[in-house]
């Protein structure tokens, strides 16, 4: 009887140990386990392109610039569903200079432009023989001062291209002095709008 009790105890210990090992192996194999931490999303700095400058027929110079531009892949709402959303940031400034102090009514807008690769249209559209574009206006304001600044922060942009795509910022300054009108534009450097898993390192 004593030997039988020892045997039953040994069998029970083996069973408990086997259960513990199986549980540990399952935890290690679980993709949702704490050790499976995704790589952080990378913020991509976008170098500023050349300022846009134009001199109107009345000799007044208008200038528009962009600075502090970045692109960051957005975290998907559902980790199982990839997204092509991006978080955009940038500062834009328009200036009007005039030695004669001519008054004018000025208007400025800023936003982003998306370009699908040639041969691919926006989602739900037919394949296009030429690149397809989409303009997203973010800010649209009028001002009468000689300078005006705009800031875009954490603005979410969705790329609806089925394949490769590119994104760039834009800002357009329009000056109207009654007898003379001038329009000048700034276009940021175009960068690939890759899927988040391609951006993260």
């Amino acid at each position: 009887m004593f030997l039988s009790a020892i045997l039953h105890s040994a069998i029970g210990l083996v069973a408990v140990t086997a259960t513990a090992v199986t549980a540990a192996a399952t935890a290690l194999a679980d993709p949702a386990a704490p050790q499976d931490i995704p790589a952080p999303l990378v913020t991509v700095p976008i170098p500023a392109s050349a300022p846009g400058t134009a001199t109107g027929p009345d000799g007044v110079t208008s200038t528009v610039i962009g600075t502090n531009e970045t692109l960051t892949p957005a975290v998907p709402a559902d980790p199982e569903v990839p997204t092509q959303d991006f978080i955009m940031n940038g500062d834009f400034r328009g200036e009007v200079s005039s030695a004669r102090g001519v008054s004018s009514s000025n208007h400025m807008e800023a936003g982003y432009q998306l370009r699908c690769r040639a041969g691919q249209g926006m989602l739900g559209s037919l394949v296009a023989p030429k690149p397809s574009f989409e303009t997203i206006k973010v800010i649209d304001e009028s001002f009468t001062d000689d300078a005006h600044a705009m800031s875009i922060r954490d603005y979410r942009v969705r790329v609806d291209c089925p394949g490769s795509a590119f994104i760039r910022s834009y800002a357009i300054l329009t000056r109207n002095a009654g007898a003379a009108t001038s329009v000048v534009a700034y276009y940021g450097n175009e960068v690939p709008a890759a899927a988040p898993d391609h951006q993260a390192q």
Side-chain angles (χ1 to χ4, degrees):
M1 182 177 295
F2 178 72
L3 181 61
S4 177
I6 293 176
L7 181 60
H8 279 84
S9 297
I11 293 174
L13 180 59
V14 170
V16 170
T17 303
T19 301
V21 171
T22 301
T26 302
L28 290 174
D30 185 0
Q35 71 272 9
D36 188 15
I37 301 174
L41 298 178
V42 177
T43 295
V44 180
I46 305 174
S49 61
T53 302
T55 300
D58 56 356
V60 176
T61 300
S62 301
T63 303
V64 59
I65 63 175
T67 57
N68 303 320
E69 296 188 63
T70 63
L71 173 151
T72 306
V75 177
D78 183 352
E80 299 298 325
V81 180
T83 179
Q84 282 191 290
D85 290 10
F86 296 88
I87 304 300
M88 309 299 299
N89 292 279
D91 296 324
F92 307 92
R93 180 178 176 85
E95 298 180 353
V96 176
S97 61
S98 172
R100 292 173 293 175
V102 178
S103 62
S104 61
S105 174
N106 309 310
H107 179 267
M108 185 172 167
E109 69 174 75
Y112 296 95
Q113 294 181 329
L114 305 177
R115 177 174 68 89
C116 290
R117 187 170 58 117
Q120 296 175 321
M122 296 295 177
L123 287 180
S125 66
L126 297 176
V127 174
K130 297 181 179 180
S132 55
F133 293 87
E134 179 183 0
T135 297
I136 302 172
K137 184 189 297 185
V138 180
I139 305 177
D140 189 344
E141 296 178 342
S142 297
F143 62 100
T144 56
D145 296 333
D146 291 339
H148 191 69
M150 296 177 167
S151 292
I152 297 176
R153 290 290 180 271
D154 299 331
Y155 189 84
R156 194 179 188 104
V157 173
R158 182 177 185 185
V159 180
D160 285 335
C161 296
S164 60
F166 302 86
I167 185 170
R168 70 178 181 182
S169 65
Y170 81 92
I172 300 175
L173 172 62
T174 301
R175 172 185 169 272
N176 188 341
T181 299
S182 61
V183 179
V184 61
Y186 166 88
Y187 294 101
N189 284 304
E190 190 177 67
V191 295
D197 57 344
H198 295 159
Q199 291 283 354
Q201 300 294 330

